[in-house]
Amino acid sequence: MADNAFERPAAPGCRPLRVVLLAYDGMNLLDLAGPLQALTTANRGVAAGAPARYETIVASGAGGTVLTTAGLPVVTTAVSSLTALPIDTLIVPGGCWGEDYEVSVALRDFIAARVASVRRLCSVCTGAFLLAAAGQLDGRRVATHWAWLDKLKDRHPTIDIDADSIFIRDGALWTSAGVSSGIDLTLALIEDDFGPRVAIDAARQMVVFMRRAGGQSQFSVPLVAQSRDHGFAELHGWMAANLASDLSVARLAARAAMAPRTFARTYAAKVGRTPAKTVELMRLETACRALEETDLPLKTVADKAGYADEQQLRRAFQRHMGTNPATHRARFSGQL
């Protein structure tokens, strides 16, 4: 894939970036409408007389009307009409009628034919199946909707599927988890093109978070921990409510009425991670929410989430998110 087929615009006054969103019968409406609205919203605020930041085209194999799973028809242009047009970014929404994704041959062939000339290739949700069918995901790190992970892996075993992230950037390839995460991905594209201020303004207009980081989990840690039938649901609920308490293996084992070594071994076997790892993820999620939703001082956030001090909180952010608490808060408050 050619990362530099098109130069990133030096300033908002450059010609619009052409983004083609592929459509087909059975796609999820929000997988298409979310990215499309984000791009359209990013066009607001340009100087009078200046060109739009983005030109968007919704295209399908044969053109005409396609029907989304929500029952809403969408009018499209045929991909054959795009032959002579340069394309900056290609986005593939997800969705299907049943429990098995059926690949559109026309769209698969279009992607394969145009991929060498686009600057970015993106998918939302099960749109990853279409990119994989076009031969674009082999050996790549990819995100898709959590409910379709196993099916994608079975069909394309060479893909490195991230079961958790909201979206992933692997060079010029961008893939996202599902449904609303297409908006997160598109806001990241906008930031990549025009900087954080434009992306933040678009997020504010859309009344969505700016920005859930790509590495942020698709899931709430306590919710997932309690929903899986491994015998520790009550313990997980207690852990989530007592993050500032002593959550050592010995304390958790006593709560579970087990010997510490037996508890640690049984927990890891059933849950798939150590008790300490679950505690760490729960504390990080709590800290993230406090930073995003409150103006509490950093020390208070650390205390609330169960960290010994601010420095321990900073180390956790750097280790898991590649950033620091202050930067995380600034991004969500629109100060970046």
Side-chain angles (χ1 to χ4, degrees):
M1 188 181 306
D3 287 2
N4 299 315
F6 290 89
E7 295 293 328
R8 174 175 172 169
C14 296
R15 62 186 175 88
L17 298 176
R18 182 175 292 119
V19 180
V20 173
L21 302 98
L22 298 182
Y24 52 89
D25 284 326
M27 69 179 175
N28 289 333
L29 176 59
L30 190 56
D31 284 10
L32 173 71
L36 183 61
Q37 184 61 59
L39 295 168
T40 302
T41 302
N43 282 335
R44 300 177 62 174
V46 298
R53 295 184 173 106
Y54 295 100
E55 173 193 350
T56 57
I57 300 174
V58 179
S60 64
T65 300
V66 300
L67 188 63
T68 67
T69 53
L72 185 71
V74 174
V75 178
T76 70
T77 188
V79 292
S80 59
S81 68
L82 307 180
T83 303
L85 291 180
I87 298 172
D88 179 82
T89 302
L90 192 59
I91 299 178
V92 183
C96 62
W97 292 118
E99 298 301 318
D100 192 26
Y101 188 94
E102 295 185 11
V103 172
S104 164
V105 174
L107 295 184
R108 179 200 66 191
D109 293 347
F110 174 76
I111 293 169
R114 296 304 301 268
V115 69
S117 64
V118 301
R119 182 167 65 95
R120 289 183 302 215
L121 185 63
C122 313
S123 68
V124 180
C125 193
T126 52
F129 281 80
L130 186 50
L131 294 188
Q136 301 308 308
L137 301 188
D138 292 339
R140 308 297 291 272
R141 186 164 170 260
V142 172
T144 192
H145 192 284
W146 60 266
W148 289 82
L149 296 171
D150 291 340
K151 290 181 179 179
L152 182 60
K153 188 68 174 178
D154 288 344
R155 194 179 295 188
H156 301 280
T158 64
I159 299 175
D160 178 12
I161 302 174
D162 187 317
D164 203 32
S165 295
I166 290 176
F167 69 85
I168 291 172
R169 179 181 185 178
D170 182 353
L173 174 70
W174 301 61
T175 56
S176 65
V179 200
S180 65
S181 67
I183 298 174
D184 297 289
L185 179 145
T186 308
L187 289 171
L189 297 179
I190 294 168
E191 180 181 9
D192 190 54
D193 292 334
F194 295 98
R197 173 51 53 195
V198 175
I200 289 169
D201 288 346
R204 284 177 167 171
Q205 289 291 336
M206 296 177 69
V207 198
V208 298
F209 280 122
M210 182 60 206
R211 291 164 316 274
R212 291 192 295 176
Q216 189 170 329
S217 177
Q218 295 186 43
F219 314 101
S220 161
V221 176
L223 179 61
V224 172
Q226 293 179 69
S227 66
R228 292 175 179 167
D229 185 17
H230 40 46
F232 294 110
E234 183 178 347
L235 177 64
H236 286 142
W238 180 83
M239 291 164 63
N242 294 276
L243 291 177
S245 301
D246 171 18
L247 298 183
S248 64
V249 168
R251 177 73 185 280
L252 296 177
R255 184 80 187 180
M258 301 171 70
R261 292 183 64 180
T262 301
F263 167 73
R265 184 175 60 252
T266 303
Y267 186 95
K270 290 188 174 182
V271 179
R273 59 174 171 245
T274 65
K277 184 68 172 178
T278 295
V279 171
E280 185 174 26
L281 293 174
M282 285 186 177
R283 283 175 170 161
L284 182 66
E285 182 175 72
T286 296
C288 285
R289 289 182 176 176
L291 291 167
E292 295 160 10
E293 299 171 4
T294 76
D295 294 322
L296 291 173
L298 196 57
K299 184 181 185 305
T300 305
V301 172
D303 291 342
K304 178 184 177 66
Y307 292 100
D309 51 36
E310 296 174 48
Q311 189 57 37
Q312 190 181 65
L313 174 62
R314 291 189 182 95
R315 287 196 296 267
F317 263 77
Q318 187 61 47
R319 183 167 58 252
H320 288 278
M321 306 182 74
T323 186
N324 59 66
T327 299
H328 184 85
R329 168 172 275 168
R331 283 178 173 172
F332 279 87
S333 66
Q335 295 173 11
L336 285 182

